[in-house]
Amino acid sequence: MQHGLLIVEGQHDAAVIAKLLTGYGLATVQREEQLDPYWRSRYTGLKYPQGGDLLKRMDVPTFAGSDTHSVVIRTADGDSKIAATLEATRTRLGSHADQLRAIGIFCDADQRDASTRLSGLRAAFSERSIDFAVDTPGVIHAGPPRTGVMVFPDNFSPGTLEILL
């Protein structure tokens, strides 16, 4: 089984990416018993409230899978939290983080061009000492793990996923 991690800005992005994955044969996983064991031990049995914060949303990602691939889609709840979400996910996976075959990030360019957006992400990764190889939006680094950043709407122009849709 090959495991992948996708980080998106928000819930709408997660829904769109999950829908796109169905075109590649990865169905959204809805039942705990269908969840790949790699994720099950790290994401089931969550306790409410998380960290004692009654207003914090439960950290439940979207899961998608097939007979050969299992992917988790994590929402960062905003572009400024992408690096923190990547760091938290790697911490949650612990020594098993090395088993990830691919890590992808999907974000909006917003009012900037995609290269400027990518520079901001690289700076955020650097501040947290996160090694994430990516030089150009839309290009996948060979890895391991394979890494890439898709900047909506087209890896060049300012805009958002909603503009693409």
Side-chain angles (χ1 to χ4, degrees):
M1 183 68 68
Q2 294 187 39
H3 299 98
L5 165 65
L6 301 176
I7 298 176
V8 299
E9 287 185 21
Q11 293 296 326
H12 292 117
D13 304 306
V16 169
I17 297 302
K19 186 66 174 169
L20 290 173
L21 289 176
T22 62
Y24 292 93
L26 283 91
T28 300
V29 176
Q30 293 184 296
R31 307 276 313 152
E32 181 179 348
E33 60 270 11
Q34 297 170 321
L35 189 58
D36 184 272
Y38 179 79
W39 306 116
R40 187 179 300 138
S41 63
R42 289 151 191 90
Y43 282 101
T44 58
L46 298 175
K47 294 183 178 155
Y48 177 82
Q50 286 187 285
D53 185 346
L54 294 171
L55 299 178
K56 182 176 171 107
R57 291 184 60 148
M58 289 295 289
D59 182 17
V60 181
T62 300
F63 300 95
S66 69
D67 291 339
T68 58
H69 293 80
S70 181
V71 176
V72 63
I73 305 169
R74 294 283 319 268
T75 57
D77 294 324
D79 64 342
S80 64
K81 296 179 184 174
I82 290 172
T85 301
L86 177 56
E87 183 177 56
T89 304
R90 284 182 168 171
T91 298
R92 174 170 274 181
L93 294 175
S95 62
H96 300 282
D98 292 341
Q99 296 176 24
L100 288 173
R101 295 289 305 258
I103 302 172
I105 296 173
F106 296 85
C107 59
D108 293 327
D110 294 323
Q111 302 304 318
R112 305 159 283 222
D113 63 64
S115 293
T116 302
R117 183 70 180 93
L118 185 60
S119 294
L121 276 175
R122 270 196 247 126
F125 294 150
S126 178
E127 287 173 10
R128 294 179 173 274
S129 299
I130 296 173
D131 182 23
F132 191 86
V134 63
D135 299 321
T136 307
V139 174
I140 298 172
H141 182 268
R146 292 179 298 198
T147 55
V149 175
M150 168 66 185
V151 182
F152 292 115
D154 60 7
N155 289 315
F156 300 102
S157 309
T160 64
L161 172 66
E162 290 76 15
I163 289 172
L164 180 65
L165 295 175

